[in-house]
Amino acid sequence: MPEQTQVLRIKRQETPNSEPYYEEFEIPYLPYHNVVSMLMEIRRNPVTRQGKRVAPVVFNANCLEEVCGACTMVINGRVRQACSQLASGLNGPVTVEPMTKFPVVRDLWVDRSKMFDYLKKAHAWIPIDGTYDLGPGPRVAPDVQQFAYLFSRCMTCGCCLEACPQINSHSKFMGAAVIGQVYLMSQHPTGKMNLDERLDAMMSEGGVADCGNAQNCVEVCPKDIPLTTAIAAVGRLTTIKWLRDLFMK
């Protein structure tokens, strides 16, 4: 009986400014292979389907358990985590491409720096005065903790930006991930102390008003984070702040 094989059609690019091209590889089919392990198999013996030896495919992966967000790729036309996508769930030849909303470093590796820059712009952290003992923190209701935990699972993977039609060359929209983190910080009693400066970022260029409500973000989020809930909530908060600022002038 002939051995089953899996064909991967990979979009490659040698430098950030070079022209992309596709190469096909054929490897033994294993139903519990994930896309990362398939790429590792190719890296062990980087020979194309046509028998040409080439440079190993470059990609980014860290945790291999859908926690770090580093291995986000477009697989068969849908953005997803390469570490959790199994071969058994893919039909026919598998097309693997880098995300399109981020600069390509090489092959499937992209630079997601702008997402972390957006988090800095939105002050998406809770500042403290120092590392000394500040005593017990304010109590948070269990139901608030439970809902806020959903947003704490964000791994800045970039899926929501890749799927968002508002993220393009004509827009500076920061995307749903950072809005979700602003919402998360607003749920914490200490975080609320700095809410105004976060809302200032959300009211600036690329903020929540630029969201087109396509709702693609919740469809592709690997952690099922209710991002549209955060967008609606932060939108209300910015409206209240705008009215408050208007009447306080």
Side-chain angles (χ1 to χ4, degrees):
M1 183 176 178
E3 182 182 39
Q4 275 190 297
T5 60
Q6 183 107 47
V7 175
L8 273 76
R9 182 171 178 262
I10 300 174
K11 188 174 184 180
R12 307 199 63 179
Q13 188 171 334
E14 293 178 5
T15 69
N17 299 316
S18 62
E19 286 296 315
Y21 58 96
Y22 287 88
E23 285 182 339
E24 287 189 353
F25 300 86
E26 190 168 6
I27 61 173
Y29 173 78
L30 293 172
Y32 298 112
H33 251 326
N34 59 28
V35 174
V36 171
S37 63
M38 286 191 272
L39 291 171
M40 288 178 174
E41 187 73 24
I42 292 169
R43 187 173 62 183
R44 278 191 283 269
N45 185 31
V47 176
T48 68
R49 202 177 181 193
Q50 293 73 31
K52 179 184 176 183
R53 179 164 289 276
V54 295
V57 178
V58 176
F59 59 94
N60 200 359
N62 288 317
C63 71
L64 303 183
E65 53 187 20
E66 204 179 76
V67 173
C68 70
C71 67
T72 312
M73 300 172 194
V74 178
I75 302 167
N76 283 354
R78 182 181 174 89
V79 65
R80 61 188 90 186
Q81 302 300 292
C83 64
S84 55
Q85 179 58 61
L86 299 181
S88 58
L90 297 168
N91 297 319
V94 181
T95 300
V96 186
E97 300 165 305
M99 286 191 285
T100 62
K101 305 294 178 73
F102 300 88
V104 173
V105 179
R106 183 172 179 180
D107 293 343
L108 303 172
W109 176 22
V110 298
D111 182 1
R112 292 178 295 137
S113 296
K114 68 179 180 181
M115 292 193 73
F116 301 98
D117 291 337
Y118 294 153
L119 290 171
K120 292 177 186 177
K121 181 178 179 180
H123 303 276
W125 63 84
I126 295 177
I128 60 173
D129 294 329
T131 56
Y132 47 83
D133 185 4
L134 300 176
R139 289 184 175 273
V140 182
D143 58 330
V144 175
Q145 290 182 38
Q146 187 173 5
F147 193 63
Y149 172 72
L150 299 177
F151 295 90
S152 72
R153 299 174 73 218
C154 177
M155 51 190 181
T156 324
C157 65
C159 284
C160 56
L161 272 70
E162 177 66 20
C164 179
Q166 295 297 110
I167 306 292
N168 53 59
S169 59
H170 308 296
S171 168
K172 294 187 178 180
F173 181 44
M174 288 185 275
V178 66
I179 298 173
Q181 294 307 292
V182 168
Y183 177 76
L184 170 63
M185 302 302 160
S186 74
Q187 298 304 293
H188 194 280
T190 308
K192 287 179 182 178
M193 296 170 62
N194 299 91
L195 180 59
D196 272 7
E197 61 182 323
R198 295 191 191 96
L199 293 180
D200 283 336
M202 290 291 98
M203 295 166 71
S204 66
E205 186 179 36
V208 69
D210 286 2
C211 174
N213 200 33
Q215 302 187 28
N216 290 1
C217 50
V218 291
E219 294 295 326
V220 300
C221 179
K223 293 299 185 182
D224 297 320
I225 299 171
L227 294 165
T228 49
T229 300
I231 292 168
V234 172
R236 286 193 297 270
L237 291 170
T238 56
T239 301
I240 292 168
K241 184 178 187 306
W242 180 81
L243 289 170
R244 189 177 69 238
D245 292 348
L246 181 66
F247 286 106
M248 288 181 66
K249 286 184 179 179

